[in-house]
């Protein structure tokens, strides 16, 4: 079944380093949630303290910084650091996050679609290309020299790609 482009709701789609496949997320993602929950449980006050906690869950400082982009640090109304996203909900959803809801051939979106892959990331690979083309026949494919956290590792290049894609007719 083909889905209409429905440009009143969605005119273009940008997908960053994830493929429309059915796969379990790697264990590291569950560890990220555990680390973030530990930050809240410890009632930390600063981003520096939170970064130190995440060292037990992630070696890469860029990824640790990215994980803290949704952390609100101590304020007058909130005495401890707290994430903007509901961590329990996110943690409970981990099994479904990596699971694309359709098999190839079941659905198709005819709108303009851009996939941006991190060159060192395993999440889009040679096995992903056929499903991507099946679901999104009008796709543009770009690669940046990053791992999985494309927008965090190369924000200027990422922004340039996105702006260029949005401006295209």
């Amino acid at each position: 079944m083909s889905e209409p482009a429905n440009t009143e709701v969605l005119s273009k789609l940008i997908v960053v380093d994830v493929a429309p496949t059915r796969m379990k997320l790697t264990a590291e993602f569950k560890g990220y949630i555990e680390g973030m929950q530990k930050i809240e449980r410890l009632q930390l006050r600063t981003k520096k303290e939170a970064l130190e906690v995440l060292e037990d869950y992630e070696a890469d400082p860029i990824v640790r910084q990215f994980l803290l982009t949704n952390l609100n640090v101590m304020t007058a109304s909130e005495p401890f650091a707290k994430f903007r996203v509901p961590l329990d909900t996110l943690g409970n959803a981990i099994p479904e996050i990596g699971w694309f809801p359709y098999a190839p051939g079941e659905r198709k979106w005819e709108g303009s679609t851009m996939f941006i892959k991190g060159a060192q990331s395993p999440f889009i690979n040679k096995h992903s290309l056929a499903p991507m083309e099946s679901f999104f026949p009008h796709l543009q494919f770009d690669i940046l020299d990053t791992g999985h956290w494309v927008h965090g590792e190369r924000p200027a290049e990422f922004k340039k790609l996105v702006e260029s894609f949005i401006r295209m007719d």
Side-chain angles (χ1 to χ4, degrees), residues 78-91:
E78 188 70 49
F80 306 109
K82 185 167 176 57
F83 286 90
R84 290 183 206 113
V85 295
L87 297 178
D88 288 340
T89 302
L90 191 57

Side-chain angles (χ1 to χ4, degrees), residues 7 14 17-18 25-26 29 35 39 60 72 104 108 125 134 136 138 159-160:
T7 55
I14 300 171
D17 206 54
V18 64
L25 291 181
T26 57
F29 288 93
I39 288 166
D60 187 335
N72 287 328
K108 186 186 305 187
N125 56 51
S134 171
F136 307 102
H138 303 284
K159 181 180 176 190
K160 184 177 178 182

Side-chain angles (χ1 to χ4, degrees), residues 136-147:
F136 307 102
H138 303 284
L139 74 86
Q140 170 184 326
F141 190 73
D142 290 284
I143 300 174
L144 289 178
D145 188 20
T146 68

